Amino acid sequence: MPASRILRLTCSLVLSAVPSFAQHSAVKSVVSLTPAIVQSGSPELIVISTLNAKSVSGSWLGHKLEFFPQGQKWIALAGVDVETSPGTTIAKISAETSEGELDLSQTIEIHPAHYRTGALTVSPKFVEPGPDEQKVIAADAEIKAKVFASSAAEPLWHGSFRAPVLAKPTDSFGTRRMFNGKLASIHKGMDFHAAKGTVVRASNSGVVVLARPLYYEGNCVIIDHGLGLYTLSMHFSRIEVHEGQRVMAGDKLGLSGATGRVTGPHLHWAVRWENAYLDPGKLLRLNLNAIR
Ligand SMILES: [Zn+2]
C-alpha cells in the first residue's frame, strides 16, 4: 500500500473517531464565525458555545488561535492576512471537556476580496534608501519584532473598536501600490484624511508598546490589545503617550501629521493580529459589545 494511502486511511480513522464521541456525549457545540463570509484581510470573531469546556485551543493558517472564556462561551479574535490566497482552509479547534477531547475543526472557505491598484509619488529616499537610512530601517525592524513578540496573555480590549480620528476614512486597505513607478507594495492599513494637528485617540483599551519615530512610519504609536492583536497609528506630528502606558478607548495618543513615508498629512491606521494585517474598516464594523 503506498504511503500516501496509509496516511489517508489513518487520517480518516482519526476523523471518524471524533463524531462518534460527539454523538455519544451530552456535549453540544456550535462554532460561529463573524463576518460569515471570510475574505483575505477579514478579521474574524470565532465564538464557540460548548457546555462544560475546560479549555479550547486551535490553529488556523499557521497561527495559534488564542481562545478565552466568556460566560458559557469561548472566544477568539483572529483573522486572515490581506496577502492570503483564496481557497479552502481548515481551522483545527479542539475543546477539552470532562468527557474527553472534542474536535470542533471547521472547513473555512476564504473568498477573494477585490482590492484596487494605485500609484504614488514620494521622496526618492523612501524608495531607494541609502546606507545610513538602511541602518535606521534595520534598527526599526528589530524594535518592531521585539514589540510584536510579546503580546499580553489576556484580551485587553473591551467592546467594539472605534475610529481613531474624526476624519473621513478611505477604502485604501489592500491597494497594490507603485511608489514612484518602481516599488510595489500592498497598503496594509486604512488612511484617514486628517489635517495636521487632528487629535488621534486609542480605538480600544490596551498598553502602548511603541511610541517613537520610525523611518517609514514617522512618529508611530502601537497599542497591544492582547492575544496578538495590535493597532498601529502612523505619521503623527506629536506623540503624547509613552511606552508602557495603559490606555482606554478614546484616550488621546497625539496629533496627526505627515512624518515618515507620506505624500501629505493623514493618519495611517493598521490592525495586526499575530503577523497578519487585517482590514481596519471591517474591525470597526465588528460588533464586540456583547462579547466583553
Ligand atoms: Zn497609509
Side-chain angles (χ1 to χ4, degrees):
M1 196 184 290
S4 62
R5 173 142 169 77
I6 296 171
L7 188 66
R8 234 178 298 136
L9 274 175
T10 315
C11 289
S12 66
L13 281 175
V14 171
L15 288 172
S16 64
V18 175
S20 66
F21 160 70
Q23 278 156 18
H24 294 137
S25 113
V27 178
K28 294 264 188 299
S29 299
V30 179
V31 180
S32 79
L33 268 84
T34 312
I37 303 287
V38 182
Q39 292 176 311
S40 306
S42 292
E44 288 297 329
L45 178 68
I46 307 175
V47 178
I48 299 186
S49 311
T50 302
L51 294 176
N52 306 322
K54 284 182 265 179
S55 69
V56 177
S57 59
S59 64
W60 184 31
L61 294 163
H63 297 284
K64 193 170 175 229
L65 294 172
E66 303 261 21
F67 287 91
F68 61 90
Q70 201 71 22
Q72 291 280 335
K73 293 174 176 164
W74 287 81
I75 316 279
L77 191 48
V80 184
D81 185 69
V82 60
E83 293 191 73
T84 299
S85 304
T88 306
T89 65
I90 294 178
K92 285 194 176 156
I93 303 171
S94 70
E96 197 62 46
T97 74
S98 51
E99 293 168 58
E101 197 168 303
L102 183 62
D103 190 335
L104 301 172
S105 296
Q106 303 285 306
T107 300
I108 301 172
E109 194 66 30
I110 297 173
H111 299 269
H114 301 285
Y115 299 123
R116 293 171 296 122
T117 300
L120 292 174
T121 305
V122 294
S123 163
K125 70 172 182 173
F126 289 115
V127 179
E128 288 167 78
D132 287 351
E133 284 93 357
Q134 282 178 20
K135 269 186 210 155
V136 176
I137 293 163
D140 285 358
E142 236 170 79
I143 292 165
K144 286 183 279 182
K146 225 182 218 174
V147 159
F148 292 132
S150 55
S151 186
E154 54 181 358
L156 303 177
W157 52 271
H158 292 279
S160 301
F161 283 70
R162 51 172 93 169
V165 280
L166 284 172
K168 200 174 171 287
T170 65
D171 63 348
S172 57
F173 177 79
T175 305
R176 268 77 181 153
R177 283 178 163 177
M178 298 290 292
F179 281 100
N180 302 4
K182 277 180 190 160
L183 178 79
S185 77
I186 292 179
H187 188 240
K188 294 184 175 179
M190 176 184 246
D191 290 337
F192 288 84
H193 294 296
K196 189 181 170 196
T198 306
V199 174
V200 182
R201 299 187 183 278
S203 60
N204 211 318
S205 45
V207 177
V208 175
V209 287
L210 183 143
R212 62 172 79 191
L214 300 172
Y215 187 74
Y216 288 118
E217 296 86 346
N219 293 320
C220 180
V221 174
I222 302 180
I223 299 176
D224 175 18
H225 300 287
L227 301 182
L229 186 69
Y230 298 84
T231 52
L232 301 80
S233 302
M234 302 177 191
H235 316 310
F236 284 44
S237 56
R238 200 168 80 201
I239 294 175
E240 297 184 17
V241 284
H242 58 83
E243 292 172 5
Q245 187 176 332
R246 274 200 165 248
V247 289
M248 306 287 284
D251 284 355
K252 188 177 179 185
L253 302 178
L255 303 175
S256 72
T259 54
R261 184 175 66 182
V262 294
T263 53
H266 73 281
L267 173 72
H268 174 101
W269 190 59
V271 175
R272 181 179 159 122
W273 170 67
E274 296 187 3
N275 61 357
Y277 280 90
L278 312 179
D279 185 345
K282 286 200 174 106
L283 182 67
L284 293 176
R285 290 192 291 276
L286 200 55
N287 185 354
L288 300 170
N289 291 328
I291 302 295
R292 57 179 266 114

